[in-house]
Amino acid sequence: TTSYSWMWKRARGYFDVVCYTGTGSARTVSHNLGVAPEMIWVKTRSTAVGWAVYHSSQGFSKGGRLETTDAFGTETNRVTAASSTTFSVGTDAYVNVSARTYIAYLFATVAGISKVGSVVHSGSSTDVDCGFSSGSKLVILKRTDATGDWYIWDSVRGIVSGNDPYLLLNTNAAEVTNTDYIDPLSSGFQISGDFTDGTYIFYAIAT
């Protein structure tokens, strides 16, 4: 069996991990990111409930789920605010039930290193400028205006001008190796014309 792992190191301005216990009442949770998180993934640790996803391009009135293909929909009771020191949650089961334990992963943009953003892809290829100088080593892409998978590519398996193997975060399926959905771009990455048109959120890390 061949396995792949993607690992983040906690660093101010880039990535942080927070564990907390739900109260059942709207509350704030402290973090050490040092900037307002632009993407947050929250998972209940103590029961079988899926992943809640906040993304700054969608705002606090919409939310997604990491384990499904669902479009981002109206969610006003999950992540409700975020600052450089805290984020706030409502009472939704995905983020804050009394006595349940949770873990939250916080992501942010660091110039030249990481980029949290959104892009509209239509028709021919779309250049995604992340402000990098030598391309992306990891790309996560998810459609928000309709159903769509959580795609993940990395430079270990290949982000090249030909076929680029990908895995889907929302399934346990084997990787797909016979598609050319993204291509190299020195400032970030390029979405090919073969990829479905739509509005997407993305997270990229530079090489």
Side-chain angles (χ1 to χ4, degrees):
T1 299
T2 301
S3 300
Y4 293 91
S5 299
W6 304 280
M7 289 162 279
W8 282 259
K9 182 178 180 179
R10 294 176 73 188
R12 287 180 64 83
Y14 169 68
F15 176 73
D16 195 21
V17 181
V18 177
C19 294
Y20 65 95
T21 300
T23 63
S25 300
R27 59 164 296 184
T28 59
V29 180
S30 297
H31 65 77
N32 293 305
L33 191 61
V35 298
E38 296 169 79
M39 182 168 66
I40 302 174
W41 298 352
V42 180
K43 175 71 177 75
T44 313
R45 293 180 290 146
S46 53
T47 191
V49 175
W51 295 78
V53 179
Y54 156 77
H55 194 281
S56 58
S57 72
Q58 301 298 298
F60 298 109
S61 62
K62 287 188 176 182
R65 291 171 57 188
L66 195 61
E67 78 279 8
T68 75
T69 62
D70 294 352
F72 271 59
T74 301
E75 295 291 350
T76 58
N77 204 27
R78 290 185 183 169
V79 176
T80 58
S83 74
S84 61
T85 57
T86 65
F87 64 94
S88 300
V89 292
T91 56
D92 188 271
Y94 283 84
V95 296
N96 187 20
V97 170
S98 179
R100 286 185 182 176
T101 55
Y102 294 86
I103 189 165
Y105 301 95
L106 285 61
F107 304 83
T109 296
V110 179
I113 296 175
S114 62
K115 178 67 176 179
V116 180
S118 63
V119 62
V120 176
H121 171 61
S122 178
S124 59
S125 61
T126 301
D127 290 349
V128 183
D129 186 351
C130 301
F132 300 162
S133 59
S134 56
S136 300
K137 69 162 46 173
L138 178 138
V139 176
I140 296 174
L141 200 60
K142 168 72 174 86
R143 190 171 181 183
T144 58
D145 61 335
T147 57
D149 292 300
W150 288 85
Y151 292 84
I152 184 166
W153 295 268
D154 59 70
S155 58
V156 173
R157 292 173 298 149
I159 297 177
V160 297
S161 58
N163 291 344
D164 314 278
Y166 67 80
L167 287 162
L168 302 175
L169 296 180
N170 54 283
T171 80
N172 60 3
E175 71 175 358
V176 178
T177 61
N178 61 349
T179 61
D180 182 19
Y181 287 157
I182 67 170
D183 288 309
L185 181 71
S186 60
S187 62
F189 62 96
Q190 183 184 84
I191 303 173
S192 80
D194 294 336
F195 206 56
T196 304
D197 291 353
T199 301
Y200 291 84
I201 57 171
F202 69 85
Y203 176 70
I205 297 175
T207 57

